[in-house]
Amino acid sequence: MYPGSFDPITLGHHDIVLRSLRLVDRVIVAVAETATQEKRALFDLDERIELLEDVYRDEPRVTIASFRGLLVDFARAADASIIIRGLRAVSDFEYEFQMALMNRSLSPDIEVIFMTPANRYTFLSSSLVREVARLNGDVSAFVHPIVLEAIKRRVPAKEAGG
Ligand code: PNS
């Protein structure tokens, strides 16, 4: 199970999904209805799920789900034995370490695995993509074309000179 907010999915997330598929047969991308850290949303839950479903339409090993409540409860109900999280930099470590240890004490049978994305994505985050997109910056190098189109519809480009 690969849980997160995915608002929106970035190429960094996608890279982790592809790496995960080298280790496991099936990945459930699980979108949290409520994340631990409060964020200003760009896409609502249904939109995030729709984008993920579109991105993985031709990848039968990836399924998309949403959950509310505890991640470990959802993972157990879905029969997932591994939780995958991406770790980009030392700055991610404390938060991820805390969550992993909390999840382990809640559910010792589920293993948390951290994976690092390709170097070119180590600086990338959904929150930066949201910010750059809201300010009409070019995020085409950071998201799937399907996501880029959805961002363009959500944040129309400013008129030249306006
Ligand atoms: O992409 P994010 O926002 O970093 O993902 C965080 C997420 C959704 C994985 C985390 O907030 C989570 O697991 N939320 C579900 C509620 C829960 O289980 N909280 C206890 C975590 S120790």
Side-chain angles (χ1 to χ4, degrees):
M1 180 163 287
Y2 180 36
S5 302
F6 302 105
D7 182 27
I9 177 174
T10 67
L11 291 181
H13 291 128
H14 181 59
D15 185 82
I16 296 289
V17 170
L18 297 183
R19 285 171 199 279
S20 303
L21 286 171
R22 296 190 192 149
L23 300 180
V24 297
D25 299 329
R26 215 179 121 217
V27 174
I28 303 169
V29 179
V31 189
E33 267 184 46
T34 43
T36 307
Q37 290 182 334
E38 204 55 52
K39 295 157 194 175
R40 190 177 152 219
L42 184 62
F43 294 104
D44 68 28
L45 182 72
D46 290 343
E47 291 169 326
R48 293 178 214 174
I49 288 170
E50 209 173 300
L51 287 175
L52 283 160
E53 280 172 349
D54 281 352
V55 168
Y56 293 107
R57 195 161 296 285
D58 298 323
E59 178 45 86
R61 293 173 298 170
V62 176
T63 51
I64 314 302
S66 67
F67 71 101
R68 58 169 10 140
L70 284 178
L71 168 62
V72 286
D73 288 345
F74 185 64
R76 202 181 302 115
D79 229 4
S81 50
I82 296 172
I83 290 172
I84 288 171
R85 290 286 290 171
L87 205 57
R88 292 162 300 188
V90 180
S91 52
D92 282 341
F93 183 77
E94 197 170 332
Y95 169 56
E96 293 298 332
F97 192 61
Q98 277 183 331
M99 281 207 300
L101 290 182
M102 177 58 80
N103 283 332
R104 178 184 283 163
S105 41
L106 293 170
S107 187
D109 46 328
I110 297 176
E111 215 51 64
V112 178
I113 293 185
F114 294 119
M115 301 191 74
T116 45
N119 288 10
R120 62 188 179 280
Y121 301 131
T122 48
F123 66 94
L124 186 54
S125 67
S126 291
S127 55
L128 275 185
V129 166
R130 288 197 299 275
E131 180 170 335
V132 173
R134 280 189 173 117
L135 299 172
N136 284 115
D138 179 11
V139 292
S140 56
F142 312 127
V143 296
H144 190 283
I146 289 172
V147 177
L148 186 64
E149 285 313 306
I151 288 176
K152 284 181 182 167
R153 288 194 299 274
R154 176 59 34 97
V155 189
K158 287 195 180 112
E159 299 287 329

